[in-house]
């Protein structure tokens, strides 16, 4: 049985119970788990270790207990929007350091688990209640993190899952808050969008 680990911030956390190791929350991690679990009974174990509020440096700080000690065969990572958002309160991570910390994370994981398959999800943002007052900042800075995440994926030959364009296209079909309730956190439909892109990327790597 292979272990798939979902890592990130509140978008991955999605209200999971930290007291239950098997809890996966209400988001894309559960949707992916449901699809793969149904299609391939008993072949995968799914773990969610996303933590609400995490920035790139927070994820790096918990690399041993929440990544390498779990010895996952596959890890997907979605991190970056809090690096942007928290800077409005003076506690963010600039784009250069984000890329540095992300690279350190991937390098250490690959050293500890050389056979691991890593999937990097692109950070995304839409214009809604939490982002509209500082929209230019949110969009510009999130795009910088998105570009950095792509460079990390290319540097380490990892699977990269583009999401920004997908949400932009979705926002032409229904208002942004239909997909991302506040411009950051996905609704059920938003999580389904992420899950579908995740599954497509995963299938293409098998």
């Amino acid at each position: 049985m292979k272990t798939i680990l979902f890592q990130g911030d509140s978008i991955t956390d999605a209200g999971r119970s930290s007291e239950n190791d098997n809890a996966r929350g209400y988001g894309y991690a559960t949707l992916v788990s449901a699809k793969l679990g149904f299609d391939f009974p008993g072949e995968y174990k799914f773990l969610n270790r996303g933590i609400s509020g995490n920035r790139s440096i927070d994820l790096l700080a918990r690399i041993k207990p929440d990544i390498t000690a779990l010895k996952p065969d596959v890890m997907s990572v979605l991190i970056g929007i809090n690096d942007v958002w928290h800077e409005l309160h003076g506690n963010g991570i600039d784009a250069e350091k984000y890329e540095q910390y992300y690279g350190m994370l991937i390098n250490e994981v690959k050293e500890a688990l050389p056979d691991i398959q890593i999937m990097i999800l692109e950070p995304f943002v839409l214009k809604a209640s939490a982002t509209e007052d500082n929209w230019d900042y949110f969009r510009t800075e999130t795009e910088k993190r998105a570009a950095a995440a792509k460079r990390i994926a290319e540097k380490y030959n990892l699977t990269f899952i583009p999401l920004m364009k997908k949400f932009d296209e979705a926002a032409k079909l229904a208002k942004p808050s239909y997909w991302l309730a506040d411009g950051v956190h996905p609704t059920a439909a938003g999580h389904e969008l992420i899950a579908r892109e995740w599954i497509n990327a995963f299938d293409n790597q098998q």
Side-chain angles (χ1 to χ4, degrees):
M1 181 182 292
K2 291 186 176 181
T3 297
I4 296 178
L5 171 65
F6 300 94
Q7 265 296 0
D9 51 36
S10 59
I11 298 170
T12 301
D13 182 327
R16 71 180 179 89
S17 169
S18 59
E19 297 176 0
N20 181 354
D21 282 348
N22 295 315
R24 292 185 289 275
Y26 56 76
Y28 73 91
T30 287
L31 297 174
V32 169
S33 302
K35 180 72 166 65
L36 291 184
F38 182 85
D39 291 345
F40 305 98
E43 292 190 21
Y44 297 104
K45 175 182 180 181
F46 304 97
L47 298 174
N48 184 350
R49 291 295 185 275
I51 294 182
S52 181
N54 264 198
R55 304 158 298 164
S56 55
I57 194 168
D58 301 308
L59 183 54
L60 178 61
R62 57 188 181 87
I63 186 172
K64 289 186 178 180
D66 285 344
I67 300 178
T68 58
L70 301 174
K71 295 182 169 56
D73 299 283
V74 180
M75 176 178 70
S76 79
V77 185
L78 174 55
I79 198 78
I81 192 61
N82 287 323
D83 295 56
V84 174
W85 202 347
H86 288 201
E87 189 57 26
L88 293 175
H89 309 288
N91 196 34
I93 304 295
D94 66 41
E96 183 178 347
K97 288 188 174 64
Y98 168 82
E99 188 165 358
Q100 178 185 345
Y101 297 148
Y102 215 147
M104 291 170 65
L105 176 82
I106 298 303
N107 190 58
E108 287 192 34
V109 170
K110 288 180 70 67
E111 282 186 0
L113 305 169
D115 296 325
I116 192 173
Q117 176 186 346
I118 301 175
M119 303 166 66
I120 291 184
L121 284 68
E122 181 182 39
F124 51 82
V125 70
L126 290 176
K127 189 175 185 179
S129 60
T131 62
E132 57 189 357
D133 288 346
N134 297 283
W135 174 240
D136 289 343
Y137 165 77
F138 265 103
R139 184 67 186 206
T140 299
E141 292 301 318
T142 303
E143 286 180 346
K144 289 180 181 179
R145 306 316 188 278
K150 185 177 183 179
R151 285 193 295 270
I152 292 296
E154 291 172 345
K155 177 180 179 179
Y156 291 95
N157 194 29
L158 309 176
T159 300
F160 182 72
I161 304 177
L163 292 172
M164 185 82 88
K165 185 178 180 180
K166 293 294 181 180
F167 275 109
D168 286 344
E169 291 172 349
K172 296 176 183 177
L173 304 176
K175 61 183 181 180
S177 61
Y178 180 84
W179 306 98
L180 303 178
D182 57 0
V184 172
H185 297 97
T187 60
H191 277 292
E192 176 66 14
L193 185 156
I194 299 171
R196 292 189 183 193
E197 295 305 313
W198 198 105
I199 291 290
N200 288 338
F202 184 75
D203 286 346
N204 289 336
Q205 294 300 310
Q206 304 311 301

